[in-house]
């Protein structure tokens, strides 16, 4: 993340600081514990990105993962290794974190994708 982009990103977050339309953050399954196990720097970066999403902004580095479900995205964190946070923000008034993990290979493992897919089905089945 370059310095100018970072400053612009902070400015957008500041504008939305008191935004009453800010979405609630909801962790599915063990996601919160998994995120808490990230190293401090990676956890802070993930928190910053999730807060931006709650405010209606885009994360700084992400990609869609349509194989899990519509609107599902992956935040890519490059701090002390490779870390990923899979979330969906298109449902009702919350951002749902489906999975948080350390990426150890170039391709995301099918175990991680399947876990996120099951959690996505769980939140859509409940009618959220």
């Amino acid at each position: 993340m370059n310095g100018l982009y970072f400053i612009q990103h902070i400015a957008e977050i500041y504008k939305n600081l008191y935004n009453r339309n800010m979405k609630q953050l909801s962790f599915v399954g063990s996601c919160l514990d998994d995120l808490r196990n990230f190293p401090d720097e990676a956890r802070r970066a993930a928190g910053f990105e999730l807060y931006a999403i709650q405010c209606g902004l885009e994360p700084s580095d992400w990609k869609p993962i349509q194989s899990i479900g519509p609107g599902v995205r992956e935040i890519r964190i490059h701090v002390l290794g490779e870390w990923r946070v899979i979330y969906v923000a298109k449902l009702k008034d919350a951002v749902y974190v489906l999975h948080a993990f350390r990426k150890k290979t170039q391709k995301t493992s099918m175990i991680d994708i399947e876990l996120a897919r099951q959690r996505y089905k769980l939140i859509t089945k409940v009618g959220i």
Side-chain angles (χ1 to χ4, degrees), residues 12-69:
E12 286 296 316
I13 288 176
Y14 184 76
K15 284 182 199 174
N16 292 309
L17 188 59
Y18 298 104
N19 183 352
R20 294 177 191 236
N21 296 327
M22 190 169 112
K23 290 186 176 185
Q24 176 183 333
L25 194 58
S26 182
F27 294 89
V28 183
S30 64
C31 288
L32 183 56
D33 290 333
D34 297 338
L35 193 57
R36 286 179 175 156
N37 288 327
F38 280 22
D40 289 344
E41 277 187 64
R43 188 174 62 245
R44 274 191 288 281
F48 178 82
E49 299 292 356
L50 288 170
Y51 182 73
I53 294 163
Q54 283 181 276
C55 292
L57 303 173
E58 298 286 332
S60 60
D61 188 2
W62 64 275
K63 72 173 193 171
I65 306 184
Q66 294 297 329
S67 63
I68 294 173

Side-chain angles (χ1 to χ4, degrees), residues 1-126:
M1 183 183 324
N2 70 38
L4 180 58
Y5 178 80
F6 181 76
I7 291 169
Q8 290 171 337
H9 207 62
I10 293 290
E12 286 296 316
I13 288 176
Y14 184 76
K15 284 182 199 174
N16 292 309
L17 188 59
Y18 298 104
N19 183 352
R20 294 177 191 236
N21 296 327
M22 190 169 112
K23 290 186 176 185
Q24 176 183 333
L25 194 58
S26 182
F27 294 89
V28 183
S30 64
C31 288
L32 183 56
D33 290 333
D34 297 338
L35 193 57
R36 286 179 175 156
N37 288 327
F38 280 22
D40 289 344
E41 277 187 64
R43 188 174 62 245
R44 274 191 288 281
F48 178 82
E49 299 292 356
L50 288 170
Y51 182 73
I53 294 163
Q54 283 181 276
C55 292
L57 303 173
E58 298 286 332
S60 60
D61 188 2
W62 64 275
K63 72 173 193 171
I65 306 184
Q66 294 297 329
S67 63
I68 294 173
V72 176
R73 294 180 174 182
E74 173 186 71
I75 300 170
R76 298 154 41 152
I77 300 167
H78 314 285
V79 176
L80 301 172
E82 294 295 317
W83 305 88
R84 300 295 187 260
V85 178
I86 298 176
Y87 73 96
V88 62
K90 298 282 184 192
L91 303 175
K92 294 251 180 166
D93 53 355
V95 174
Y96 293 91
V97 180
L98 303 174
H99 191 30
F101 61 98
R102 181 177 190 163
K103 190 167 180 184
K104 298 175 184 169
T105 62
Q106 189 167 357
K107 186 175 180 183
T108 304
S109 80
M110 285 308 295
I111 293 170
D112 291 315
I113 291 172
E114 189 55 37
L115 179 58
R117 186 178 291 131
Q118 288 172 1
R119 290 175 176 172
Y120 180 81
K121 286 179 184 176
L122 177 70
I123 64 170
T124 56
K125 185 178 184 180
V126 174

